Amino acid sequence: MPADRPYVVAHLAVSLDGATTGFPIDVGAYYALVPTWKEDVTLTGADTILAQEGALDAHGPGPSPDGPLLAVVDSRSRVHSWSALRGCGLWRRVVAVRSEQSEPDPDVVALVAGHERVDLAAALAVLGDDGAATVRVDSGGQLVRALLEDGLVDELSLLVHPCLAGTEALGGAVPPWTTDRRADLGLISQEQYADGLVWLRYHVRHEGELP
Ligand SMILES: NC(=O)c1ccc[n+]([C@@H]2O[C@H](COP(=O)([O-])OP(=O)(O)OC[C@H]3O[C@@H](n4cnc5c(N)ncnc54)[C@H](OP(=O)(O)O)[C@@H]3O)[C@@H](O)[C@H]2O)c1
């Protein structure tokens, strides 16, 4: 684990050509793997929450005392479903990760890191100081990409679906999660399932780290 922040794993459902949306995701298989990391924090972005807001139950079972913390990166204060997120039974607590310039929202506790946009490294450091050892990133393209760009991902977990999503999915509203920055990966494990899904786990080598 890095000294100055928690261990960060990005768990992504991808098509063989790397899309994160625009193809039928095996949601059951994706979430069945989530307990692997026993995450302290689920880190997600505003767009991932906004994409599922319609499906959130306003009368859920309430917070889950043994669940992780949900931290939602939301510099522009676009998320408003805080009460439904708190009550949906998946997380023990919910915080908005904001910057100093974000509009305040009395309906949610804010973790402030960064001036204009959220400073992801600083936000992870705060989560670490709060006792988090493992953070699982649940995001489409943007947040994973930004974390990879900043060298803040330690593990990439890819649930590869047996399909090519095509250029429309890859060039669509959700930008690719891959970055311009080269990254060396070390295979942690591989598993194949009967329906053609392949689960690949890679350690992301940081600069200066030996293979
Ligand atoms: N295939 C999968 O495994 C998977 C998993 C989760 C979600 N999804 C799908 O992916 C789609 C959403 O994905 P997305 O990537 O567009 O949204 P996202 O994961 O919500 O990421 C967007 C968030 O990242 C923040 N961000 C981006 N770059 C940043 C940077 N450099 N510094 C700080 N913050 C930064 C944005 O900040 P601002 O607040 O400033 O805009 C925004 O809050 C949805 O359709 C969802 O269903 C797929």
Side-chain angles (χ1 to χ4, degrees):
M1 188 175 107
D4 54 346
R5 60 167 175 81
Y7 182 81
V8 176
V9 51
H11 177 50
L12 285 168
V14 293
S15 62
L16 191 55
D17 48 355
T20 55
T21 56
F23 66 98
I25 290 177
D26 188 331
V27 176
Y30 174 87
Y31 281 106
L33 298 174
V34 162
T36 304
W37 298 279
K38 299 181 176 60
E39 77 222 45
D40 302 300
V41 175
T42 312
L43 181 68
T44 190
D47 295 278
T48 289
I49 297 297
L50 292 173
Q52 63 177 25
E53 246 178 1
L56 279 172
D57 181 0
H59 308 287
S64 166
D66 298 327
L69 167 84
L70 175 68
V72 183
V73 177
D74 185 21
S75 305
R76 290 177 280 160
S77 306
R78 288 179 291 150
V79 173
H80 299 290
S81 49
W82 301 113
S83 163
L85 288 167
R86 277 191 292 269
C88 74
L90 293 175
W91 297 286
R92 70 172 191 283
R93 208 155 59 91
V94 175
V95 299
V97 184
R98 295 259 160 82
S99 65
E100 286 162 10
Q101 292 199 342
S102 302
E103 215 173 284
D105 179 347
D107 192 29
V108 66
V109 171
L111 181 171
V112 178
H115 183 57
E116 280 177 37
R117 207 172 196 189
V118 167
D119 178 333
L120 296 168
L124 286 169
V126 173
L127 291 169
D129 289 345
D130 192 42
T134 304
V135 171
R136 180 181 64 84
V137 184
D138 191 329
S139 147
Q142 298 184 62
L143 187 58
V144 174
R145 182 189 171 91
L147 289 161
L148 278 168
E149 288 277 4
D150 290 350
L152 296 170
V153 177
D154 303 297
E155 179 179 334
L156 262 178
S157 161
L158 302 177
L159 184 61
V160 183
H161 286 56
C163 72
L164 298 171
T167 46
E168 202 177 309
L170 287 165
V174 180
W177 57 274
T178 49
T179 70
D180 297 336
R181 178 181 164 146
R182 187 192 145 80
D184 289 321
L185 308 175
L187 186 65
I188 298 172
S189 63
Q190 53 187 321
E191 262 178 58
Q192 187 181 330
Y193 302 105
D195 46 8
L197 289 173
V198 179
W199 182 32
L200 299 169
R201 288 177 70 188
Y202 291 98
H203 169 64
V204 181
R205 291 201 188 104
H206 297 296
E207 243 166 62
E209 189 179 323
L210 294 173

